Amino acid sequence: MTKPTVAILGASADRLKFGNKSVRAHVKQGYEVYPVNPRGGQIEGLKVYHSLAEVPVKHLNRISVYLPPAIAVGVLEDIAAKGCDQLFFRSG
């Protein structure tokens, strides 16, 4: 059985931020998690992708967005191009 997939846009290494809490929660729920942050590096031991286009999955089960609205608007085309079954935006 394959794991469900999720990309976390705005993933953070700061454990107090929702972009990190989401990474940890999805891992705990059994998702294959793809953190996305232009800084790259690692978050919670996972490789961080600089952009959604770099995520090595054609179609994701879920994309969760933890970005300020002005930045989130700029990634809508990337989200549409990648495709997903579920899309969540953090309110704010």
Side-chain angles (χ1 to χ4, degrees):
M1 182 174 176
T2 60
K3 289 183 175 186
T5 57
V6 61
I8 309 293
L9 305 185
S12 174
D14 183 341
R15 291 180 66 91
L16 298 176
K17 292 191 173 185
F18 288 109
N20 181 281
K21 292 177 183 185
S22 180
V23 169
R24 289 184 281 137
H26 280 93
V27 167
K28 187 175 181 180
Q29 293 174 12
Y31 278 80
E32 186 71 33
V33 178
Y34 299 96
V36 178
N37 187 307
R39 294 184 185 112
Q42 285 197 345
I43 294 175
E44 300 297 322
L46 300 170
K47 175 184 176 172
V48 177
Y49 296 87
H50 293 98
S51 69
L52 185 58
E54 289 183 7
V55 172
V57 175
K58 279 187 173 186
H59 181 90
L60 292 152
N61 297 114
R62 179 180 290 176
I63 296 175
S64 287
V65 182
Y66 294 89
L67 298 169
I71 296 172
V73 168
V75 298
L76 292 176
E77 288 184 17
D78 296 338
I79 292 169
K82 178 60 78 174
C84 63
D85 299 322
Q86 300 175 328
L87 176 61
F88 293 95
F89 288 91
R90 180 185 138 248
S91 62

